[in-house]
């Protein structure tokens, strides 16, 4: 009886290790594919295009991902998870409203200017979700994570000022996302002032919303 339990335990542990290794490989492949995807966009990129621009073969990509949608979703999930962590660090370490605002805006301006191609891919994917049912659940989950990230920033800002947010989390996210997307469009069009405009608008906005 004990021997059977031990064998079952060994099988379970090997199975978990195999899953972990598989997911780690998917993550590595997604990181490698992200540059090609962000350059060409959703509609213009195929798994074969990605294979031609990375060290991995088309067959390898097909083994680890069901299709292009599966790969793109993995890419965006990983990138947005990193984004959320950045802002959470700025939020958790700030001890005054000014410090929080400066840390948040610094991160926001940097990512807007240096990673505009990645944000462009996210908005492309979110638009495609209106037409691709297979994308909707994942896009909704990422949107939810971003909404909660914005809520944590604003809530902490309010707490540091001994007050409360004046809008719901969904309203705040729609507001921040709209301003960011408008600024991104300017940056992609070559207008570097887009980041400065976003910075100015958010400095005026924070005291109003909290």
């Amino acid at each position: 009886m004990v021997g059977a339990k031990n064998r079952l335990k060994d099988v379970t542990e090997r199975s978990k290790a195999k899953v972990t290794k598989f997911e780690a490989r998917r993550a590595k492949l997604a990181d490698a594919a992200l540059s090609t995807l962000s350059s060409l966009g959703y509609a213009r990129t195929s798994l074969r295009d990605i294979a031609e621009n990375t060290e991995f073969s088309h067959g390898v990509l097909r083994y680890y991902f069901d299709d292009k949608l599966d790969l793109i979703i993995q890419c965006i999930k990983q990138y947005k998870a990193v984004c959320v962590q950045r802002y959470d660090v700025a939020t958790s370490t700030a001890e005054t409203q000014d410090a929080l605002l400066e840390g948040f805006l610094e991160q926001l301006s940097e990512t807007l200017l240096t990673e505009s191609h990645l944000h462009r891919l996210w908005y492309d994917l979110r638009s495609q979700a209106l037409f691709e049912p297979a994308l909707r659940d994942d896009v909704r989950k990422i949107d939810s994570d971003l909404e909660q990230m914005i809520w944590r920033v604003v809530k902490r800002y309010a707490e540091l000022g001994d007050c409360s947010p004046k809008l719901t989390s969904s309203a705040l996210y729609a507001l921040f996302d709209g301003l960011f997307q408008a600024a991104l469009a300017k940056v992609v069009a070559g207008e570097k002032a887009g980041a400065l405009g976003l910075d100015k608008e958010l400095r005026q906005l924070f005291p109003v919303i909290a």
Side-chain angles (χ1 to χ4, degrees):
M1 186 68 176
V2 174
K5 288 183 177 179
N6 288 336
R7 286 195 296 274
L8 179 60
K9 182 179 179 181
D10 290 341
V11 170
T12 301
E13 289 177 351
R14 286 198 299 271
S15 179
K16 288 181 179 179
K18 185 176 181 180
V19 170
T20 300
K21 185 176 180 180
F22 185 83
E23 291 300 325
R25 185 64 166 169
R26 275 172 57 92
K28 183 177 180 180
L29 291 169
D31 282 339
L34 193 53
S35 177
T36 301
L37 283 167
S38 61
S39 297
L40 298 179
Y42 167 85
R44 297 168 56 198
T45 308
S46 67
L47 286 180
R48 198 168 297 281
D49 293 324
I50 295 169
E52 290 176 355
N53 287 279
T54 65
E55 61 183 293
F56 305 104
S57 69
H58 180 256
V60 168
L61 292 175
R62 290 290 304 183
Y63 177 77
Y64 284 95
F65 298 96
D66 295 335
D67 50 29
K68 181 177 72 171
L69 290 180
D70 189 22
L71 174 56
I72 291 177
I73 289 170
Q74 181 72 21
C75 288
I76 291 297
K77 279 182 177 178
Q78 290 176 197
Y79 174 65
K80 288 302 182 182
V82 171
C83 288
V84 169
Q85 290 174 1
R86 291 176 188 167
Y87 299 120
D88 282 345
V89 169
T91 302
S92 62
T93 58
E95 297 183 357
T96 66
Q97 283 187 323
D98 287 343
L100 186 150
L101 186 59
E102 292 302 325
F104 175 68
L105 293 180
E106 181 181 354
Q107 291 285 352
L108 201 65
S109 294
E110 181 180 350
T111 189
L112 180 61
L113 292 174
T114 63
E115 299 174 339
S116 57
H117 56 301
L118 300 175
H119 294 295
R120 181 178 63 179
L121 177 61
W122 158 242
Y123 285 112
D124 185 13
L125 182 64
R126 195 166 73 174
S127 296
Q128 290 297 327
L130 297 173
F131 305 95
E132 290 278 3
L135 288 171
R136 289 172 191 163
D137 287 345
D138 290 291
V139 166
R140 190 178 297 113
K141 176 61 169 62
I142 294 170
D143 260 330
S144 178
D145 290 342
L146 294 174
E147 178 182 326
Q148 291 306 309
M149 179 269 290
I150 292 296
W151 177 248
R152 288 192 293 272
V153 172
V154 175
K155 185 179 179 182
R156 180 57 180 160
Y157 179 87
E159 289 173 349
L160 291 170
D162 196 25
C163 57
S164 302
K166 297 180 181 178
L167 296 173
T168 64
S169 63
S170 59
L172 285 169
Y173 179 52
L175 183 57
F176 276 74
D177 183 65
L179 291 172
F180 186 85
Q181 187 173 11
L184 176 64
K186 293 179 181 179
V187 170
V188 170
E191 301 176 34
K192 298 301 182 183
L196 295 176
L198 179 62
D199 184 282
K200 181 179 178 180
E201 288 172 332
L202 290 179
R203 289 181 187 278
Q204 295 173 338
L205 180 64
F206 264 86
V208 176
I209 60 178

